[in-house]
């Protein structure tokens, strides 16, 4: 039983962790309007795009998804005290793909389209700290398409607008070694297990069997 397991004495231990200097959650949305022919493997000039449904997908770039362009110290007055915070210019890099689905179920997916957007945030993020961004939600939708024209491996949209919506958790961190008093964990007791008994379906004695 768990309550009968021997307790362990506490001792001082040191561990390496990331100290969080500051943390904000921020929403961001923007429109993206690519122009010119977009590469769609499999599309031919004779592809009938009438009635096509256009959707999109967006993911963070696999190379340099976040780039800190500039970090500038600025003085702020907060609750009567002067505080030095950092004004950050951050570039976020994404990859967008466009999916065109024809009425007969045929689907064409575009090549990856690189997309970058910049924004400014103010954090306690002094020089030496890392700025980490976690996208808690990242989505896009096609707002307008205009007229679709098929080419040799391409589709041209006369008025394509894609809206990207981002929910992001932004933290400034720095690795530190901390000391604290702790108790080492012990494994829990194994849960008891027994085979179930024989289960019989409920009978209907009112109609069967009948008394002799």
């Amino acid at each position: 039983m768990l309550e009968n397991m021997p307790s362990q004495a506490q001792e001082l231990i040191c561990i390496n962790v990331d100290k969080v200097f500051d943390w904000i959650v921020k929403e961001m949305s923007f429109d993206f309007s690519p122009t010119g022919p977009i590469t769609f493997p499999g599309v031919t000039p004779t592809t009938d795009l009438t009635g096509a449904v256009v959707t999109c997908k967006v993911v963070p770039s696999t190379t340099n998804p976040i780039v800190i362009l500039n970090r500038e110290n600025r003085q702020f007055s907060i609750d009567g005290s002067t505080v030095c915070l950092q004004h950050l210019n951050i570039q976020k890099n994404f990859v967008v793909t466009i999916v065109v689905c024809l009425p007969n179920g045929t689907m064409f997916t575009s090549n990856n389209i690189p997309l970058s957007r910049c924004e400014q945030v103010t954090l306690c993020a002094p020089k030496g700290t890392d700025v980490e961004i976690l996208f808690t939600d990242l989505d896009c939708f096609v707002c307008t398409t205009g007229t679709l024209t098929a080419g040799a491996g391409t589709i041209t949209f006369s008025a394509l607008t894609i809206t990207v919506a981002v929910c992001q958790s932004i933290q400034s961190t720095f690795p530190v070694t901390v000391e604290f008093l702790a108790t080492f964990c012990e494994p829990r007791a194994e849960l008891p297990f027994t085979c179930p008994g024989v289960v019989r379906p409920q009978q209907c004695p009112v109609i069967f069997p009948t008394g002799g």
Side-chain angles (χ1 to χ4, degrees):
M1 299 294 291
L2 289 175
E3 59 268 19
N4 294 328
M5 296 183 65
S7 60
Q8 297 292 321
Q10 290 184 323
E11 67 176 73
L12 286 172
I13 65 173
C14 292
I15 62 172
N16 294 323
V17 297
D18 286 337
K19 176 183 176 180
V20 178
F21 278 63
D22 205 352
W23 184 13
I24 62 172
V25 176
K26 187 176 181 181
E27 296 182 5
M28 170 185 176
S29 64
F30 57 88
D31 290 339
F32 169 54
S33 299
T35 59
I38 298 175
T39 301
F40 279 83
V43 173
T44 66
T46 59
T47 301
D48 185 4
L49 300 177
T50 303
V53 176
V54 183
T55 57
C56 64
K57 299 177 183 178
V58 59
V59 295
S61 173
T62 56
T63 57
N64 294 327
I66 305 297
V67 179
I68 306 301
L69 301 176
N70 187 41
R71 188 186 313 223
E72 178 185 348
N73 292 334
R74 291 191 181 182
Q75 302 293 325
F76 293 87
S77 179
I78 301 176
D79 295 332
S81 300
T82 300
V83 180
C84 180
L85 300 178
Q86 284 66 46
H87 194 64
L88 306 177
N89 294 331
I90 304 176
Q91 178 182 344
K92 300 180 177 67
N93 300 315
F94 307 95
V95 173
V96 175
T97 53
I98 303 171
V99 179
V100 174
C101 183
L102 304 184
N104 63 5
T106 302
M107 298 181 65
F108 299 102
T109 301
S110 72
N111 285 356
N112 290 341
I113 304 172
L115 169 62
S116 296
R117 279 297 183 275
C118 296
E119 69 172 319
Q120 295 180 323
V121 297
T122 301
L123 291 173
C124 175
K127 184 179 180 180
T129 57
D130 294 324
V131 177
E132 302 174 355
I133 299 181
L134 172 65
F135 296 114
T136 56
D137 190 24
L138 178 59
D139 200 4
C140 69
F141 67 91
V142 176
C143 182
T144 60
T145 62
T147 303
L148 282 64
T149 304
T154 64
I155 297 178
T156 301
F157 301 82
S158 64
L160 178 62
T161 301
I162 296 173
T163 298
V164 178
V166 179
C167 290
Q168 53 195 342
S169 170
I170 307 176
Q171 291 185 343
S172 56
T173 64
F174 185 79
V176 296
T177 300
V178 297
E179 175 188 281
F180 62 95
L181 190 64
T183 302
F184 287 100
C185 296
E186 294 287 346
R188 67 171 177 82
E190 185 178 4
L191 296 176
F193 176 79
T194 57
C195 295
V198 177
V199 178
R200 297 182 178 86
Q202 183 177 358
Q203 299 186 69
C204 303
V206 173
I207 60 172
F208 183 86
T210 57

